[in-house]
Amino acid sequence: MIRVLLADDHWLVRAGFRSVLEGEDDIEVAGEAEDGQAAVSACRELVPDVVLMDIRMPGMDGLEACQVITGDARLAAVKVVILTTFDLDDYVYGALRAGATGFLVKDSGPEELLHAVRVAARGDALISPKVTRRLIAEFAGRAKGPQPDPRLDVLTGREREVMQLVASGLTNDEIAQRLVLSQSTAKTHVSRIMTKLGARDRSQVVVIADESGLISPGRPAQ
């Protein structure tokens, strides 16, 4: 059972999400919060699997709440999905750096919402079709030039290759097909990469790859 916390200052939004989520056998709404501070408190009390977090909320906003949650070792397993709108795209890269697993556009349909929750619960990076990885890479490149990251020095050549593919948005199955590996081997490579980098999930691998220059901003790895 995937336990979800809904964090949004509009009760109609929370009610709409609750209605969709509670219709599924493998998902339950563990609680609700109407601002960032309440979301942090609820996470510490309930330890949900996934938090659907609005960016703009009164008091502590979604980005700050995300940073607090992902920085709390007791909540290491909690995945935060940021709810965004087109006019808030500037927040996307900042949210990744804050530890968000991914993003969901607020006008997404029920199927996208359910997919987002399940993907996040698995620990996979989630980028809504309307918030593409190209946009994230663009903001990464705009922020500053590539910075050498000593964490990459511990990766093997194969792990660097896998990391490039993860940062390009490929799933474990797609990586296995691209590199002619078994699915279990591809999964093992990804797990080792996250462990060596100290990354919470695949989204953090994307951030490190972009900031270190392992892939070029604005275009996927070849």
Side-chain angles (χ1 to χ4, degrees), residues 2-20:
I2 301 172
R3 303 173 65 250
V4 180
L5 174 69
L6 305 176
D8 194 294
D9 59 330
H10 294 96
W11 71 267
L12 275 176
V13 173
R14 300 197 306 271
F17 284 169
R18 177 182 283 275
S19 177
V20 173

Side-chain angles (χ1 to χ4, degrees), residues 23-64:
E24 301 299 304
D25 293 336
D26 61 332
I27 299 173
E28 69 176 6
V29 176
E32 299 184 16
E34 58 185 22
D35 58 49
Q37 186 59 61
V40 171
S41 297
C43 275
R44 288 171 174 163
E45 177 184 354
L46 304 171
V47 192
D49 299 300
V50 178
V51 182
L52 293 178
M53 181 86 73
D54 188 20
I55 285 183
R56 285 187 172 173
M57 293 185 289
M60 180 185 291
D61 65 19
L63 289 186
E64 186 178 354

Side-chain angles (χ1 to χ4, degrees), residues 21-176:
L21 297 174
E22 290 189 334
E24 301 299 304
D25 293 336
D26 61 332
I27 299 173
E28 69 176 6
V29 176
E32 299 184 16
E34 58 185 22
D35 58 49
Q37 186 59 61
V40 171
S41 297
C43 275
R44 288 171 174 163
E45 177 184 354
L46 304 171
V47 192
D49 299 300
V50 178
V51 182
L52 293 178
M53 181 86 73
D54 188 20
I55 285 183
R56 285 187 172 173
M57 293 185 289
M60 180 185 291
D61 65 19
L63 289 186
E64 186 178 354
C66 179
Q67 286 182 310
V68 174
I69 292 168
T70 59
D72 189 332
R74 296 167 297 177
L75 304 177
V78 177
K79 307 302 181 184
V80 179
V81 175
I82 295 292
L83 302 174
T84 185
T85 55
F86 282 125
D87 61 336
L88 293 179
D89 281 340
D90 283 340
Y91 286 96
V92 169
Y93 192 70
L96 273 183
R97 295 195 68 186
T101 291
F103 309 88
L104 184 70
V105 176
K106 293 185 78 171
D107 63 358
S108 298
E111 289 186 2
E112 284 184 275
L113 172 62
L114 295 172
H115 175 71
V117 168
R118 290 175 177 130
V119 168
R122 291 200 305 265
D124 289 339
L126 171 75
I127 309 299
S128 168
K130 296 179 181 177
V131 183
T132 65
R133 192 201 164 281
R134 182 177 296 275
L135 177 63
I136 295 171
E138 177 185 341
F139 281 108
R142 186 180 302 177
K144 58 182 178 180
Q147 301 294 314
D149 191 326
R151 288 177 293 181
L152 269 62
D153 294 341
V154 301
L155 299 182
T156 65
R158 174 62 90 182
E159 287 169 347
R160 281 175 174 259
E161 191 175 9
V162 171
M163 183 177 176
Q164 288 180 314
L165 297 178
V166 169
S168 296
L170 272 64
T171 64
N172 289 348
D173 290 348
E174 291 168 338
I175 291 171

